[in-house]
Amino acid sequence: MTETELKKAWKKTMTPFVVFVILLIVSVLFNRLGSKKPTPQTVSLFASVYSLTFTIFYGIKIVLFRKKLKQLNNN
């Protein structure tokens, strides 16, 4: 892999991870500090679960990508 391909792959992995972490923080804060009516609470709950799921998914992808890079560097 060239350096340009590595940068593109890293960017494609990190950008969604950062977005979903920010969404998770905002949804949890909105759930705790926002409206106490049932509808906004439900929406923030679904947003929290959604963002947590994808944060874990992209976190695993980052870990696997780093392992792959270490293997490439060792060879």
Side-chain angles (χ1 to χ4, degrees):
M1 291 182 100
T2 65
E3 188 174 334
T4 315
E5 291 172 339
L6 286 174
K7 285 182 182 179
K8 285 181 182 179
W10 192 250
K11 185 177 179 181
K12 284 175 57 176
T13 308
M14 284 303 292
T15 303
F17 180 76
V18 171
V19 168
F20 284 120
V21 167
I22 291 171
L23 179 63
L24 177 65
I25 292 169
V26 168
S27 62
V28 168
L29 286 176
F30 184 74
N31 192 5
R32 293 292 170 212
L33 305 174
S35 175
K36 297 302 177 195
K37 295 180 182 177
T39 303
Q41 289 288 316
T42 305
V43 170
S44 65
L45 173 69
F46 286 136
S48 298
V49 171
Y50 174 77
S51 59
L52 180 65
T53 302
F54 281 104
T55 301
I56 292 170
F57 174 73
Y58 280 106
I60 291 171
K61 282 182 78 170
I62 289 170
V63 169
L64 293 177
F65 185 66
R66 292 181 81 187
K67 283 183 182 180
K68 182 179 177 182
L69 286 178
K70 285 182 183 180
Q71 288 177 351
L72 289 175
N73 286 336
N74 288 337
N75 292 336

